[in-house]
Amino acid sequence: TNKIEGEKLYREIYADAEYRGYDKWILSAGVQYMEYNLQVYRSEPLPFMYSFTPFVDVTYRISDKKALRFEFEYQDTKQDYGSWVYGLLEYTVAPHWSFALSDMYNLKPTPAYEKIHYYSVFSAYTKGPHRFTLAYVKQVAGINCTGGVCRYEPAFSGVRAQITSNF
């Protein structure tokens, strides 16, 4: 994506694959390469962030209504906060409940930052078109994309409750 004047804003190359050949397992893996203009989007002094992010997602279906999912990601970059590792373990009881634990760790921080854990504990209840979530979250400041909508969110540590309704 470029501005009308030709200035580069964002580049992304993304690929993923999913394998469902096992009876109770779903295996997914992929990779993302991204170039992101920090000056335009966040008024940062560095012009660009270049990152490479491989990821793996494994779901084990315990029964027709219960599943256990593990997600792992590694983001390699020398700009912004530096390189990260992320892990998530989620247990779902369809069609209503979901519980998750996750941790994001700044594995190779740039000099301005330190190695630190950003963990969360999450629960959700879905009833019809409504979803109620409650979580303890520790998050780093940055761009958060959910459901195709991306926005800047400040650093945060505490309890977060949300209600989402689709109609």
Side-chain angles (χ1 to χ4, degrees), residues 64-97:
D64 286 344
K65 293 193 176 246
K66 297 177 184 174
L68 193 60
R69 184 174 77 89
F70 172 74
E71 180 180 334
F72 176 80
E73 298 177 19
Y74 173 73
Q75 180 187 51
D76 183 56
T77 184
K78 293 171 181 48
Q79 296 83 34
D80 201 23
Y81 290 97
S83 296
W84 295 89
V85 64
Y86 173 81
L88 174 131
L89 184 61
E90 179 182 40
Y91 177 68
T92 55
V93 182
H96 299 294
W97 290 99

Side-chain angles (χ1 to χ4, degrees), residues 33-44:
Y33 172 77
M34 185 178 69
E35 298 175 5
Y36 178 82
N37 192 323
L38 292 167
Q39 284 180 338
V40 171
Y41 287 110
R42 294 190 359 220
S43 302
E44 298 283 333

Side-chain angles (χ1 to χ4, degrees), residues 48-73:
F48 269 86
M49 182 178 94
Y50 302 92
S51 69
F52 177 75
T53 308
F55 57 90
V56 180
D57 190 307
V58 177
T59 300
Y60 175 69
R61 293 184 305 236
I62 299 166
S63 69
D64 286 344
K65 293 193 176 246
K66 297 177 184 174
L68 193 60
R69 184 174 77 89
F70 172 74
E71 180 180 334
F72 176 80
E73 298 177 19

Side-chain angles (χ1 to χ4, degrees), residues 25-165:
W25 295 88
I26 301 171
L27 309 174
S28 302
V31 65
Q32 176 193 41
Y33 172 77
M34 185 178 69
E35 298 175 5
Y36 178 82
N37 192 323
L38 292 167
Q39 284 180 338
V40 171
Y41 287 110
R42 294 190 359 220
S43 302
E44 298 283 333
L46 291 172
F48 269 86
M49 182 178 94
Y50 302 92
S51 69
F52 177 75
T53 308
F55 57 90
V56 180
D57 190 307
V58 177
T59 300
Y60 175 69
R61 293 184 305 236
I62 299 166
S63 69
D64 286 344
K65 293 193 176 246
K66 297 177 184 174
L68 193 60
R69 184 174 77 89
F70 172 74
E71 180 180 334
F72 176 80
E73 298 177 19
Y74 173 73
Q75 180 187 51
D76 183 56
T77 184
K78 293 171 181 48
Q79 296 83 34
D80 201 23
Y81 290 97
S83 296
W84 295 89
V85 64
Y86 173 81
L88 174 131
L89 184 61
E90 179 182 40
Y91 177 68
T92 55
V93 182
H96 299 294
W97 290 99
S98 178
F99 306 94
L101 299 171
S102 68
D103 187 19
M104 187 170 76
Y105 181 65
N106 198 346
L107 189 65
K108 296 179 191 172
T110 53
Y113 299 98
E114 60 185 88
K115 292 182 177 184
I116 190 166
H117 288 272
Y118 292 89
Y119 44 84
S120 74
V121 178
F122 171 88
S123 65
Y125 178 77
T126 304
K127 179 72 173 170
H130 312 292
R131 183 172 170 92
F132 306 90
T133 64
L134 183 65
Y136 176 79
V137 178
K138 184 174 182 182
Q139 77 179 27
V140 66
I143 302 296
N144 183 11
C145 297
T146 305
V149 177
C150 297
R151 66 189 170 279
Y152 177 81
E153 290 188 1
F156 174 77
S157 183
V159 175
R160 176 179 287 157
Q162 292 181 308
I163 300 172
T164 307
S165 294

